[in-house]
Amino acid sequence: MTPPMTAVYNPMDLSGRLMLVTGASAGIGRATAVMLSRLGARVLLNGRDAGRLEETAGLLAGKGHAAAPFDLSDLEAVPGWVKAQAAAYGPLHGIAHCAGIQTLRPIRIFSAAFFDEVMRANLGSALALARGLRQKGCHAERAAIALISSTAATAASPGNVVYAASKGGIIAATKGLAVELLGDGIRVNCVVPSIVETELIERGKQKLTAEQYEHLRTLQPLGFGHPDDIAHMIAYLLADTSRWMTGSIVTVDGGRTA
Ligand SMILES: NC(=O)c1ccc[n+]([C@@H]2O[C@H](COP(=O)([O-])OP(=O)(O)OC[C@H]3O[C@@H](n4cnc5c(N)ncnc54)[C@H](OP(=O)(O)O)[C@@H]3O)[C@@H](O)[C@H]2O)c1
């Protein structure tokens, strides 16, 4: 319905909606939680570090938010955990899946344990959350999932191929899930960021020389991103602004792949 001309029109208004944000204890997830709360949503904050989730809670606008610490690498337990959140707080209108790990590691020291760790945290968690959300009573009539891939998946990322493969899997999963969850009223889209200055990048920086780090900066004509640059797109993908989008892969990369 078109609002009266006198009302402030915000097509990204999330008033009355409940959003789960994973990775909310840091970086892009924290910025996304703040952004969604400023748009009116109630936010469930997930990460493993309860103390840092409380810090994020202190930054949120509005009321009715809650922290829900949980390790999303425990894939078998994720659907039951989602069900418990819906029972406690109500059906979810969306999930911003921002949790993820990245450890730079050349293929010469590849191990099965490292593969399992990265794949479970980055890709398995997304699939398990999708399974969790589609359960009866866990989602509102119309809901959305926003996943995060990486330009590591769409442009060569030497020394980082296990992470890149997990993020390539996110792109494939976005498309498959979008079609599989159509009947449940759940849209699924994905953001593909290049380098955003967060703790994740700060940790990787320790393994690089100053020259190598500056080279990374030059890969993005618009420079490194800020967590809000990704949070804005995630909010768009969870709000009605994207009601005609599902299975879309949206690049937000400072011109990296232009
Ligand atoms: N920063 C970038 O340049 C960049 C670029 C492309 C894509 N991305 C992707 O964007 C997402 C967010 O990245 P970021 O830079 O914000 O990372 P970050 O600052 O390192 O934060 C990662 C978040 O993930 C959570 N997390 C990790 N493993 C988890 C698990 N098993 N269960 C629950 N929570 C878990 C962490 O919380 P706890 O420590 O409390 O568990 C933390 O809140 C990731 O998927 C990343 O791959 C980032």
Side-chain angles (χ1 to χ4, degrees):
M1 190 177 72
T2 308
M5 290 297 280
T6 49
V8 175
Y9 175 53
N10 178 5
M12 286 168 67
D13 182 24
L14 296 175
S15 303
R17 306 203 190 169
L18 177 65
M19 300 289 177
L20 169 63
V21 179
T22 74
S25 55
I28 293 170
R30 175 175 279 174
T32 299
V34 172
M35 191 72 63
L36 299 180
S37 75
R38 293 179 69 187
L39 290 166
R42 281 190 302 136
V43 184
L44 282 181
L45 303 167
N46 166 259
R48 292 164 299 181
D49 185 328
R52 294 207 301 172
L53 290 178
E54 283 310 319
E55 283 172 31
T56 303
L59 302 172
L60 301 183
K63 292 188 167 49
H65 313 297
F70 177 75
D71 184 347
L72 294 170
S73 291
D74 186 356
L75 303 185
E76 293 74 11
V78 169
W81 175 78
V82 173
K83 193 157 221 165
Q85 304 316 305
Y89 302 105
L92 291 159
H93 294 82
I95 297 178
H97 182 34
C98 306
I101 56 171
Q102 175 181 234
T103 306
L104 298 178
R105 192 172 286 195
I107 203 65
R108 67 185 152 73
I109 52 171
F110 173 83
S111 73
F114 179 62
F115 176 83
D116 286 347
E117 181 191 353
V118 175
M119 285 293 173
R120 287 179 90 89
N122 291 353
L123 179 57
S125 58
L127 300 170
L129 283 166
R131 179 178 170 196
L133 185 66
R134 71 165 297 282
Q135 297 172 110
K136 196 165 185 290
C138 290
H139 61 91
E141 195 178 341
R142 283 185 299 145
I145 298 175
L147 301 175
I148 306 187
S149 177
S150 167
T151 52
T154 55
S157 188
N160 197 21
V161 292
V162 174
Y163 174 80
S166 74
K167 292 298 180 177
I170 289 285
I171 291 175
T174 298
K175 291 185 171 290
L177 288 172
V179 176
E180 204 169 318
L181 299 184
L182 271 177
D184 298 295
I186 301 171
R187 297 182 297 105
V188 186
N189 294 292
C190 162
V191 187
V192 186
S194 189
I195 301 175
V196 178
E197 284 190 299
T198 66
E199 289 170 34
L200 180 139
I201 295 304
E202 194 55 39
R203 284 189 296 273
K205 191 176 165 182
Q206 313 306 327
K207 297 188 177 175
L208 303 173
T209 64
E211 290 74 29
Q212 285 172 322
Y213 191 65
E214 278 316 303
H215 170 68
L216 287 182
R217 188 189 302 277
T218 63
L219 293 178
Q220 288 89 196
L222 297 181
F224 288 142
H226 184 279
D228 283 351
D229 297 322
I230 308 306
H232 280 124
M233 180 51 69
I234 291 174
Y236 180 91
L237 293 175
L238 295 180
D240 291 345
T241 34
S242 61
R243 60 176 288 280
W244 202 49
M245 289 172 69
T246 197
S248 291
I249 313 300
V250 185
T251 300
V252 182
D253 69 352
R256 167 85 200 262
T257 54

